[in-house]
């Protein structure tokens, strides 16, 4: 087991912070066997690209969302020629907890244990390890398709609102069933009833998704604007939830009517064309759409502001600073922006930080205090 400084006990620090005390990873991607004990402040892991640094952060973040942040299938996360993977960790949040996740490739079954007890549903373990991952790939949150921003909204809200998570699960299940009926209708014909039967549930759960998204975006826009300004953007940054139903009073009735109105078209196309799964999060700077007109620097600023907003939302929900997982996040930022972001993180109370970078020279000045480890071919050493 690789050790840096020993973790502090709960009464040795006055600030409320989530902490990863230790983690054991087996057969996850190229990580055959990793055992780490982490100090309270965190650690910087240095290694060339392609040796497993991002895989390590992905394994740690798996404890938060119970799946790959890169949308890989569990069987594809399993190391070549292995029967499955296993991740076990000891956390402090602010009480001590143990969490473990195992996946068996042959049965494609996943088992989660929280403090030695298996939860009734996998979703009951979602959010057990409050953490936020920053990566250069976050640029897609701003420059990518609407699905990237919907995924962001769903992640933040599902981790902090159980009613939202419940509505999201039911909406997706009923959407899949309606789409299956629509595909059958497009191929061999089907009655309206085979499609319409799913619409009341879609309207019920979809209206809750829209309401919660719209409320969170409206209440979070001032923070988003403040974060972008502090990073250094001159114009006013704004967020707006884009949905034809966001302003409706009788949201359920309007959404149900929209499903009925689009039913004939959907039956020809074989897909549901209306609903919260088609909505977007519009990001603007000085009134201009950042996805279409923002510079690379402005888009990166907005992406990091979104991640910082995610961290604030998780902190407010958990009552403690989440763990920060930094995948060389400042590699494509200019020095001015990077320095301001680090200062902002330090001002609000930097949580435990796990940073991965290719070279020691890539460690930002504000994180030079972190202990150093090295990674090569999926193996970590001091």
């Amino acid at each position: 087991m690789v050790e840096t400084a020993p973790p502090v006990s709960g009464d040795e620090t006055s600030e409320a912070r989530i902490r990863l005390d230790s983690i054991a990873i087996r057969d996850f991607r190229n990580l055959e066997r990793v055992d780490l004990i982490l100090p309270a402040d965190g650690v910087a892991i240095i290694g060339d690209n392609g040796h497993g640094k991002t895989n390590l952060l992905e394994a740690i973040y798996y404890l938060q969302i119970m799946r790959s942040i890169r949308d890989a299938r569990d069987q594809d996360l399993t190391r070549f020629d292995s029967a499955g993977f296993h991740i076990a960790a000891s956390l402090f949040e602010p009480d001590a907890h143990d969490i473990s996740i195992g996946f068996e490739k042959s049965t494609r079954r996943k088992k989660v244990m929280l403090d030695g007890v298996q939860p009734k549903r996998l979703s009951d373990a979602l959010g057990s390890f409050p953490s936020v991952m920053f990566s250069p790939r976050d640029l897609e949150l701003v420059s990518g398709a609407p699905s990237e921003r919907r995924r962001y909204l769903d992640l933040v809200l599902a981790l902090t609102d159980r009613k939202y998570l419940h509505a999201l699960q039911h909406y997706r299940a009923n959407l899949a069933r309606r789409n299956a009926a629509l595909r059958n209708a497009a191929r061999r014909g089907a009655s309206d009833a085979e499609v319409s039967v799913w619409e009341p549930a879609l309207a019920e759960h979809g209206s809750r998704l829209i309401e919660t998204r719209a409320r969170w975006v409206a209440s979070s826009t001032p923070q988003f604007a403040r974060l972008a300004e502090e990073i250094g953007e001159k114009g006013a940054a704004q967020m707006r939830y884009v949905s034809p139903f966001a302003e409706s009073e009788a949201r359920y009735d309007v959404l149900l009517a929209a499903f009925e109105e689009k039913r004939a078209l959907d039956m020809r196309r074989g897909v549901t064309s209306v609903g919260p799964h088609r909505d977007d999060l519009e990001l603007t700077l000085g009134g201009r759409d950042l996805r279409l007109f923002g510079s690379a620097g402005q888009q990166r600023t907005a992406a990091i502001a979104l991640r910082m907003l995610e961290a604030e939302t998780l902190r407010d929900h958990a009552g403690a600073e989440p763990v920060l997982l930094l995948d060389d996040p400042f590699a494509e930022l200019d020095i001015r922006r990077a320095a301001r972001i680090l200062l902002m993180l330090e001002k609000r109370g930097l949580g435990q930080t796990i940073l991965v970078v290719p070279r020691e020279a890539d460690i930002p000045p504000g994180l030079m205090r972190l202990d150093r480890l090295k990674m090569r071919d999926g193996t970590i050493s001091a």
Side-chain angles (χ1 to χ4, degrees):
M1 178 174 286
V2 178
E3 296 189 33
T4 53
V8 298
S9 63
D11 57 1
E12 289 178 299
T13 179
S14 59
E15 54 195 20
R17 303 197 303 175
I18 309 298
R19 196 175 70 231
L20 177 64
D21 285 342
S22 66
I23 187 165
I25 304 167
R26 301 290 183 268
D27 297 320
F28 185 94
R29 291 201 185 266
N30 75 324
L31 308 177
E32 181 179 3
R33 184 184 183 92
V34 170
D35 294 281
L36 278 177
I37 293 178
L38 295 106
D41 281 344
V43 68
I45 298 174
I46 303 158
D48 291 337
N49 292 331
H51 283 258
K53 302 188 307 298
T54 298
N55 295 344
L56 174 67
L57 295 187
E58 183 180 18
I60 295 172
Y61 195 71
Y62 199 103
L63 300 169
Q64 160 92 321
I65 61 173
M66 307 293 148
R67 58 181 172 83
S68 166
I69 194 173
R70 294 189 271 182
D71 282 336
R73 301 178 304 170
D74 286 325
Q75 54 264 40
D76 296 329
L77 298 175
T78 304
R79 194 174 64 87
F80 183 69
D81 277 347
S82 296
F85 64 80
H86 192 265
I87 307 167
S90 293
L91 316 173
F92 190 86
E93 49 174 27
D95 300 313
H97 292 287
D98 293 322
I99 179 171
S100 67
I101 306 171
F103 172 74
E104 188 177 56
K105 198 171 182 180
S106 60
T107 61
R108 298 192 179 184
R109 288 183 179 174
K110 186 159 27 185
K111 182 178 180 180
V112 177
M113 300 292 287
L114 297 176
D115 294 325
V117 178
Q118 185 174 2
K120 291 182 180 180
R121 295 173 297 272
L122 189 64
S123 60
D124 291 340
L126 192 73
S128 297
F129 173 52
S131 53
V132 180
M133 187 165 171
F134 291 72
S135 163
R137 292 185 303 278
D138 291 341
L139 186 64
E140 289 293 310
L141 290 175
V142 183
S143 63
S147 58
E148 296 286 342
R149 291 176 289 282
R150 286 195 301 270
R151 184 172 183 262
Y152 169 82
L153 288 173
D154 287 340
L155 180 67
V156 172
L157 294 172
L159 289 172
T160 55
D161 185 335
R162 286 287 161 180
K163 290 181 179 179
Y164 185 90
L165 173 61
H166 178 268
L168 182 64
Q169 291 172 323
H170 283 271
Y171 183 84
R172 286 177 172 174
N174 284 281
L175 180 64
R177 293 174 183 128
R178 186 177 190 267
N179 282 341
L182 290 171
R183 287 193 296 272
N184 286 336
R187 285 197 304 266
R188 55 181 175 77
S191 68
D192 270 18
E194 293 177 72
V195 175
S196 64
V197 66
W198 309 112
E199 292 170 4
L202 281 174
E204 176 189 350
H205 300 296
S207 60
R208 179 179 288 277
L209 297 184
I210 293 167
E211 178 184 359
T212 307
R213 288 175 181 177
R215 185 173 61 246
W216 182 84
V217 171
S219 65
S220 300
T221 291
Q223 293 102 300
F224 177 73
R226 172 183 55 78
L227 290 166
E229 183 181 9
E230 287 186 30
I231 293 172
E233 294 305 334
K234 304 275 186 220
Q238 296 289 324
M239 295 193 302
R240 184 173 72 92
Y241 182 52
V242 181
S243 169
F245 313 102
E247 304 300 325
S248 302
E249 291 291 334
R251 204 170 280 116
Y252 170 86
D253 294 331
V254 174
L255 192 53
L256 186 63
F259 288 129
E260 181 180 359
E261 179 186 346
K262 296 291 185 180
R263 192 183 303 143
L265 175 65
D266 291 350
M267 290 176 74
R268 291 195 299 272
R269 292 181 174 177
V271 66
T272 302
S273 60
V274 65
H277 63 288
R278 310 284 292 184
D279 294 345
D280 198 359
L281 175 65
E282 182 183 74
L283 306 169
T284 60
L285 184 66
R288 294 167 64 84
D289 190 333
L290 278 166
R291 184 177 69 87
L292 299 175
F293 304 109
S295 68
Q298 290 170 336
Q299 290 179 343
R300 291 190 183 98
T301 292
I304 289 177
L306 285 174
R307 287 298 183 211
M308 295 179 78
L309 184 58
E310 178 183 344
E312 290 187 1
T313 304
L314 289 179
R315 179 193 62 198
D316 292 344
H317 176 71
E321 286 290 339
V323 172
L324 300 181
L325 307 174
L326 307 183
D327 187 3
D328 201 12
F330 309 123
E332 298 176 19
L333 283 173
D334 59 65
I335 295 173
R336 176 181 60 85
R337 281 189 174 93
R340 289 191 177 188
I341 291 163
L342 278 170
L343 182 61
M344 291 164 64
L345 290 172
E346 289 172 351
K347 278 172 58 181
R348 53 172 283 217
L350 194 63
Q352 186 188 41
T353 303
I354 302 172
L355 169 72
V356 302
V357 289
R359 296 169 299 274
E360 191 162 355
D362 296 321
I363 300 175
L367 297 175
M368 291 296 289
R369 72 184 187 286
L370 296 178
D371 290 352
R372 320 287 166 80
L373 294 174
K374 296 177 182 176
M375 173 168 273
R376 182 177 178 85
D377 294 327
T379 300
I380 295 177
S381 59

